[in-house]
Amino acid sequence: MGDSNENTIEAWRRVHLRLTLAIIQSRDNIAAQKTKKRCILEEMCSKLMTEQATAKKLKSAKRAAGQQQQKVHAAASETARVAAPQGSSGNSAVATQEQIQLAFQMAQSLNNGAEKES
């Protein structure tokens, strides 16, 4: 009967060992899945942040371009108003070559100033 008891105890030890190894393997598998999930989430977060940064830069660039365009239009209209001959007849809407060149020079100087600010 002692031999049977030892065989039973040995069998239970093997069962215990296999269950312990299965638990360890399961924990390793769970840890691997968590690591994989974390890597995927980090990659998604990185892409979202990159997209947000790109969208923010694009929005900022559009806003700056709009402001620059407003400055150019304001400068051109001011130039046309100042350079327009006072006693002109019905052709006051047609810009002279000198007015166009002056407006172009002002636009270039505004562009150069914006590039230096950037």
Side-chain angles (χ1 to χ4, degrees):
M1 185 124 157
D3 199 24
S4 173
N5 243 354
E6 286 181 27
N7 285 341
T8 304
I9 291 173
E10 185 59 35
W12 279 110
R13 283 184 181 154
R14 281 184 267 147
V15 169
H16 182 267
L17 178 64
R18 286 187 179 184
L19 289 174
T20 303
L21 290 175
I23 289 171
I24 292 171
Q25 183 64 44
S26 294
R27 286 180 182 166
D28 287 346
N29 290 342
I30 290 169
Q33 289 295 322
K34 285 182 179 180
T35 301
K36 182 179 176 182
K37 184 178 179 180
R38 185 176 64 239
C39 288
I40 290 170
L41 290 174
E42 285 176 353
E43 184 178 337
M44 289 171 58
C45 183
S46 174
K47 286 181 181 180
L48 286 173
M49 291 175 72
T50 302
E51 288 174 5
Q52 287 176 346
T54 302
K56 188 175 180 179
K57 286 180 183 177
L58 182 60
K59 185 177 179 180
S60 176
K62 284 183 179 179
R63 185 174 42 244
Q67 290 172 349
Q68 189 66 25
Q69 191 175 20
Q70 288 175 349
K71 288 179 183 178
V72 168
H73 286 302
S77 64
E78 180 64 23
T79 302
R81 186 185 64 77
V82 169
Q86 297 297 327
S88 63
S89 55
N91 286 340
S92 63
V94 178
T96 64
Q97 183 67 25
E98 184 178 315
Q99 291 171 331
I100 293 172
Q101 286 178 346
L102 191 58
F104 182 70
Q105 288 172 352
M106 290 179 76
Q108 280 183 327
S109 67
L110 285 172
N111 280 335
N112 290 339
E115 288 175 2
K116 289 179 184 177
E117 289 175 7
S118 299

